[in-house]
Amino acid sequence: MFTRLGDRLFLGRVLPHTYPDETRGSTPSDAVRVEDVRIRPDGYVKAVVTDHGKRERTSTEYADVPVDADWEPVPGFGD
């Protein structure tokens, strides 16, 4: 998820889902694993991984992560 900060966009959240197979019609509730990664512009990252198969949730925090690649220019109208 991008957030506008000044004249640029910052990728502050990534939420990938893993499914048991690649069948069409999967919904988010069918996911066997969900990663919720939140990133701050200062390089702090918190990742929470929920593994529904193992019934387990783990949380990891990182500091000083390079975030240069997480910035994007704001697209022009219609782009």
Side-chain angles (χ1 to χ4, degrees):
M1 177 183 322
F2 282 93
T3 301
R4 187 172 185 158
L5 298 174
D7 61 345
R8 296 186 294 166
L9 298 175
F10 183 74
L11 180 62
R13 186 175 186 196
V14 181
L15 196 62
H17 290 61
T18 304
Y19 297 94
D21 55 40
E22 296 297 322
T23 59
R24 292 167 94 35
S26 293
T27 64
S29 63
D30 297 328
V32 292
R33 178 182 165 102
V34 178
E35 297 176 52
D36 187 354
V37 182
R38 296 180 188 235
I39 309 149
R40 293 192 323 213
D42 64 0
Y44 170 82
V45 175
K46 181 174 182 177
V48 177
V49 177
T50 303
D51 188 319
H52 296 288
K54 294 180 182 177
R55 296 180 181 229
E56 179 177 277
R57 179 176 288 173
T58 58
S59 178
T60 309
E61 298 178 51
Y62 305 93
D64 301 321
V65 175
V67 295
D68 294 339
D70 295 324
W71 291 96
E72 293 287 335
V74 174
F77 182 76
D79 290 343

